[in-house]
Amino acid sequence: MPPTTAPDTRSARTLSASILELLLPYHRTTDRTDAPVTPEAFPHQLRRIAGFVRAGEPVTFTLPGFPCKSPHPDKVLGHLPDQAERLSLRFLDALCADIERIHPPGARVVLCSDGHVFGDLIGVPDAHIDAYADALRLLIAESAPARLSVFDLRDVLGDLPYDAKRARVHARYAPPLDDLRAEIRTDAAARALYRGITRFLVEDTAAFPGTRSALQRECRRRAYGVIQRSRAWGGLIAEHHRRAVRLSIHPQPVGGPKFGIRLLDAPDAWTTPWHAVALHRADGTWTLLPRARAARLGRLVLRDGRPSHFAQD
């Protein structure tokens, strides 16, 4: 029998708990409790992590997100990644490096860029989404090529027209609309997600020819589509990355199949790097804010000739 360095079941469980402990300070949850949370509260994630530990492999995380910049000019500096994304990538790379210190094979995060999945529903051109994802890949190549990567519809369906790609993914993975409506009526978490997405769609609309109430009705309709497509994307990711530990940018219940993670400091749980800009505060810390608000608090900073972030003096 050849010698092996793979840990036994007990040590794999202990090491998996230690890896999960590194994520806990950034956990984003829907649960309202001040009680401390321990790794044992996440049996699903512990089992997934332990599978990589026992195999002596890098722990693979999938993180849906990094779709594209918001189309609203009061929120962002343009349609390309900026300092907000750089800071997020830096955080994820550092988290992988921390895991590598206790688990030498390390960790990998696959950024499952979902902009094309619902670009037509959020009013962002596919060309802008491609440009965002391509620029994101360049940022990763410059800073964290070994630990981070991007996965999007082009990796699955190649050069098909994007409308055809969306139709295929929706047809194969999306829940029926009637089932989703029924779930939102009866499930508090689903209803909160629906309302949050509706609010974001309203806030992301820069110009609308009708009344405010008409806009809200339109965004409520589109919110169902966004949730359908989001779940379809989740199903596709699970199929292509079967063993991975699933992260989420949205708050998640303790012990659920997804682990909610906070990328950067922000005033609320829904703010993301692609719906905001980075503000470098006078005390040296960073936060995410809508562009219009950040502009009132700091001066614009350019990087390589492009707007990057705001800074307080």
Side-chain angles (χ1 to χ4, degrees):
M1 177 79 68
T4 177
T5 58
D8 60 29
T9 300
R10 181 176 301 176
S11 60
R13 189 182 305 120
T14 301
L15 180 53
S16 301
S18 298
I19 291 171
L20 191 54
E21 277 185 342
L22 296 174
L23 275 67
L24 288 181
Y26 314 104
H27 183 229
R28 178 179 270 180
T29 182
T30 55
D31 299 341
R32 297 185 179 183
T33 177
D34 293 328
V37 181
T38 65
E40 288 69 29
F42 301 88
H44 179 84
Q45 286 77 20
L46 284 175
R47 284 195 300 271
R48 291 285 176 103
I49 293 171
F52 291 104
V53 170
R54 284 194 298 269
E57 298 173 352
V59 180
T60 299
F61 299 92
T62 52
L63 177 59
F66 294 86
C68 55
K69 285 293 194 179
S70 164
H72 203 302
D74 284 347
K75 287 189 171 187
V76 296
L77 289 166
H79 69 273
L80 295 176
D82 51 38
Q83 184 69 1
E85 279 81 5
R86 287 190 191 93
L87 292 170
S88 300
L89 298 178
R90 190 182 303 168
F91 162 74
L92 292 170
D93 183 56
L95 190 59
C96 290
D98 288 342
I99 293 172
E100 190 172 328
R101 291 187 185 98
I102 61 173
H103 175 58
R108 307 288 183 268
V109 179
V110 182
L111 306 178
C112 301
S113 181
D114 47 7
H116 286 302
V117 177
F118 37 68
D120 58 324
L121 294 172
I122 61 176
V124 177
D126 286 309
H128 284 191
I129 297 170
D130 274 339
Y132 178 91
D134 291 344
L136 195 65
R137 284 182 168 93
L138 287 176
L139 288 179
I140 290 172
E142 293 170 1
S143 59
R147 297 183 178 123
L148 308 181
S149 62
V150 177
F151 173 83
D152 63 24
L153 277 183
R154 290 177 290 183
D155 297 300
V156 182
L157 294 171
D159 295 329
L160 277 177
Y162 282 115
D163 285 339
K165 292 179 183 178
R166 285 187 278 267
R168 286 199 184 186
V169 172
H170 187 103
R172 179 165 181 177
Y173 300 101
L177 182 57
D178 288 345
D179 291 355
L180 182 59
R181 289 183 186 276
E183 180 184 348
I184 288 171
R185 284 195 300 269
T186 58
D187 184 90
R191 190 160 55 250
L193 177 64
Y194 168 74
R195 289 172 176 168
I197 290 175
T198 300
R199 175 170 64 88
F200 259 109
L201 290 173
V202 170
E203 292 175 354
D204 268 11
T205 303
F208 185 76
T211 64
R212 178 77 174 182
S213 59
L215 172 61
Q216 289 173 332
R217 286 194 300 272
E218 167 68 12
C219 290
R220 283 194 291 268
R221 180 192 65 79
R222 284 191 281 140
Y224 283 110
V226 170
I227 296 173
Q228 282 182 295
R229 303 267 187 89
S230 179
R231 292 195 181 176
W233 185 232
L236 186 150
I237 292 169
E239 186 174 283
H240 284 260
H241 303 276
R242 294 181 183 275
R243 297 171 57 212
V245 183
R246 170 68 185 273
L247 303 178
S248 174
I249 59 164
H250 298 304
Q252 300 292 327
V254 172
K258 305 173 189 176
F259 186 95
I261 191 165
R262 172 176 53 84
L263 300 178
L264 292 171
D265 177 61
D268 68 65
W270 287 88
T271 303
T272 68
W274 44 93
H275 283 102
V277 301
L279 174 69
H280 197 200
R281 292 181 287 211
D283 64 1
T285 60
W286 292 89
T287 189
L288 295 175
L289 291 173
R291 185 203 62 79
R293 184 178 172 197
R296 294 193 295 268
L297 297 173
R299 57 180 174 80
L300 180 64
V301 177
L302 302 181
R303 180 166 176 162
D304 299 326
R306 287 200 299 110
S308 171
H309 60 280
F310 288 90
Q312 293 180 318
D313 295 323

